[in-house]
Amino acid sequence: MFKREKIPYPTVERLPVYYHVLSELKEDNVGIVSSGDMAVRAGVKASQFRKDLSYFGEFGIQGLGYPVAHLIEKIADIMQLNVDHDCALFGCGNLGRAIAGYSGLSRWNFHITRIFDNSPEKIGGKFGGVIVEDVSILPRNLNVSIGILAVPAVSAVNTAQLMVECGIKAILNFTSRNLDPGHGIAVRNVEVTQELAVLAYHIARNF
Amino acid sequence: MFKREKIPYPTVERLPVYYHVLSELKEDNVGIVSSGDMAVRAGVKASQFRKDLSYFGEFGIQGLGYPVAHLIEKIADIMQLNVDHDCALFGCGNLGRAIAGYSGLSRWNFHITRIFDNSPEKIGGKFGGVIVEDVSILPRNLNVSIGILAVPAVSAVNTAQLMVECGIKAILNFTSRNLDPGHGIAVRNVEVTQELAVLAYHIARNF
């Protein structure tokens, strides 16, 4: 039996990549995929893919590969991708608007149901069908677990604090600030500059 | 002596995080930082931080910690952050504009010097001081190593191909498409939905 407790963090980080690859295969009506093919598509080693899968059961069919539809369901179950997740977006600048307009979110059952900003010009406006609300009059409890932080860096720490105060349990942080919002709050950082730095390193090594 | 060849990939991925934390400490005039403090700020274990640093030398001062300014310089040197990097941005929608207007890039010596789009309404316009050019009349060689891909998913693969053809060696991919642009081309994916999936997993485990 699958024991959720045992799954190491790097595996958890790779599961969405596998899910994404499997979804593309399913769209192409592929029924079975080999670990080698999966590995290439996901950018990992085949042994890594097999190891990651082994944390939640035996799925491979000897000499054939992995049944795509079954594996998608299993990963969706583990990652909670088969239930709807409401998200609150904080910051409605170019980046916030790009996120609000991104169709990929709803394909994975993520829905931006609340948008907050501090600009009078934006408050009351609508993005992706959601009205922009005033961040200074946040309700006591949003009843939303996931917050997306897309405010200017200078407002990042204060806004993250507000998010936690109104019940947000997980923050996707697009600012350049490191956040330390307290115990039990999960944070994922998306930092363009740091990603570019990794690329710069590769270029320096190759040339 | 530091041997660049020996640095494992996960360490390379963490170096920009350390660089970012150290930069913040330097701004706050912190001269020395302990591995414990660094670890908390960077979201890793102290032993991991020490191990990562050990790949490029001995920096700790017994009983004191790490000299901030020296470590910043060293990481900048390894990651090539002390030289200017020109970047070409492909796609000038909300996301592209958010990237072009992001001040954090130039602080790390990344500069968007070319912007391409396929929309007649955008071509000829200006973002972040750079004129938007027609992607259909790309020059044979851009003389730019790093490309940022911020086009709609449906155009991702074709645009990545164009990027490689005009000499780009590393792609920061903001689309939901997995890219396989060929040997020697580095790719980093920034996928909002996959990041949200990792957060959803954490929420499911904690509550």
Side-chain angles (χ1 to χ4, degrees):
Chain A
M1 271 304 291
F2 153 60
K3 289 182 188 166
R4 182 168 289 169
E5 287 64 36
K6 273 190 177 175
I7 303 183
Y9 194 70
T11 298
V12 171
E13 290 183 300
R14 282 187 291 266
L15 288 180
V17 181
Y18 300 150
Y19 184 82
H20 176 67
V21 170
L22 289 163
S23 301
E24 287 190 337
L25 289 170
K26 194 180 170 192
E27 272 175 35
D28 292 343
N29 295 314
V30 176
I32 298 272
V33 63
S34 70
S35 58
D37 193 11
M38 269 303 293
V40 169
R41 289 167 184 265
V44 300
K45 289 181 182 168
S47 56
Q48 181 71 71
F49 172 67
R50 288 191 297 265
K51 177 99 199 281
D52 286 338
L53 282 200
S54 73
Y55 288 106
F56 49 103
E58 279 294 333
F59 298 103
I61 301 169
Q62 189 75 35
L64 265 178
Y66 294 84
V68 170
H70 184 55
L71 208 46
I72 286 181
E73 255 179 55
K74 204 73 200 176
I75 296 179
D77 184 41
I78 291 167
M79 302 294 289
Q80 302 283 303
L81 297 175
N82 42 13
V83 295
D84 285 318
H85 293 278
D86 288 349
C87 304
L89 171 67
F90 290 75
C92 196
N94 280 323
L95 178 61
R97 287 201 292 272
I99 297 166
Y102 179 48
S103 62
L105 296 185
S106 59
R107 268 206 305 275
W108 287 38
N109 290 328
F110 293 98
H111 311 283
I112 293 178
T113 54
R114 308 288 288 264
I115 303 180
F116 297 94
D117 203 285
N118 66 356
S119 157
E121 290 149 37
K122 287 172 191 161
I123 294 164
K126 222 172 187 180
F127 288 102
V130 180
I131 290 173
V132 181
E133 299 174 70
D134 186 345
V135 73
S136 70
I137 46 172
L138 268 181
R140 207 182 162 79
N141 191 339
L142 272 182
N143 283 317
V144 172
S145 297
I146 298 178
I148 300 172
L149 186 59
V151 300
V154 68
S155 311
V157 172
N158 284 346
T159 308
Q161 192 55 43
L162 290 176
M163 291 163 92
V164 173
E165 283 169 13
C166 66
I168 279 175
K169 301 298 181 195
I171 299 174
L172 185 56
N173 175 26
F174 281 92
T175 79
S176 60
R177 288 273 154 184
N178 283 322
L179 301 178
D180 184 16
H183 185 68
I185 310 294
V187 177
R188 298 281 296 174
N189 298 309
V190 178
E191 230 291 85
V192 177
T193 324
Q194 293 182 13
E195 296 295 331
L196 288 172
V198 175
L199 290 176
Y201 175 83
H202 284 290
I203 291 171
R205 284 208 50 190
N206 286 338
F207 303 97
Chain B
M1 269 307 292
F2 153 60
K3 289 183 190 166
R4 180 166 289 167
E5 287 65 33
K6 274 189 177 175
I7 302 183
Y9 194 69
T11 297
V12 171
E13 290 185 299
R14 283 186 290 266
L15 288 180
V17 182
Y18 300 151
Y19 183 81
H20 176 65
V21 169
L22 289 163
S23 301
E24 287 191 337
L25 289 170
K26 195 181 169 190
E27 271 176 35
D28 292 343
N29 295 311
V30 175
I32 298 273
V33 62
S34 70
S35 58
D37 193 11
M38 268 303 294
V40 169
R41 289 167 184 265
V44 299
K45 288 182 183 168
S47 56
Q48 182 72 71
F49 172 67
R50 288 191 297 266
K51 177 97 198 282
D52 285 339
L53 282 199
S54 73
Y55 289 105
F56 49 102
E58 278 294 333
F59 297 102
I61 301 169
Q62 189 76 36
L64 265 177
Y66 294 83
V68 171
H70 183 53
L71 208 47
I72 286 180
E73 256 177 57
K74 204 73 198 176
I75 296 179
D77 185 40
I78 291 168
M79 301 293 291
Q80 302 284 305
L81 296 175
N82 43 14
V83 296
D84 286 318
H85 293 278
D86 288 348
C87 304
L89 172 67
F90 290 74
C92 198
N94 280 323
L95 178 61
R97 288 201 292 272
I99 296 166
Y102 179 48
S103 62
L105 296 185
S106 60
R107 271 206 305 276
W108 286 39
N109 290 327
F110 292 98
H111 311 284
I112 293 177
T113 55
R114 308 288 287 265
I115 303 180
F116 297 94
D117 202 286
N118 67 354
S119 157
E121 290 149 35
K122 288 172 189 163
I123 294 163
K126 223 173 185 179
F127 288 103
V130 179
I131 290 173
V132 181
E133 298 173 70
D134 187 344
V135 73
S136 69
I137 46 173
L138 269 180
R140 205 181 163 81
N141 191 338
L142 271 183
N143 282 317
V144 171
S145 298
I146 298 177
I148 300 171
L149 185 59
V151 300
V154 67
S155 312
V157 172
N158 283 346
T159 309
Q161 193 54 44
L162 289 176
M163 291 163 93
V164 172
E165 282 169 13
C166 67
I168 280 176
K169 301 296 179 194
I171 299 174
L172 186 55
N173 175 26
F174 280 92
T175 79
S176 60
R177 287 273 153 184
N178 283 324
L179 301 179
D180 183 17
H183 184 69
I185 309 294
V187 177
R188 298 282 293 173
N189 298 310
V190 178
E191 230 292 85
V192 177
T193 323
Q194 294 183 14
E195 297 294 330
L196 287 172
V198 175
L199 290 176
Y201 175 83
H202 284 288
I203 290 170
R205 286 210 46 191
N206 287 336
F207 303 96

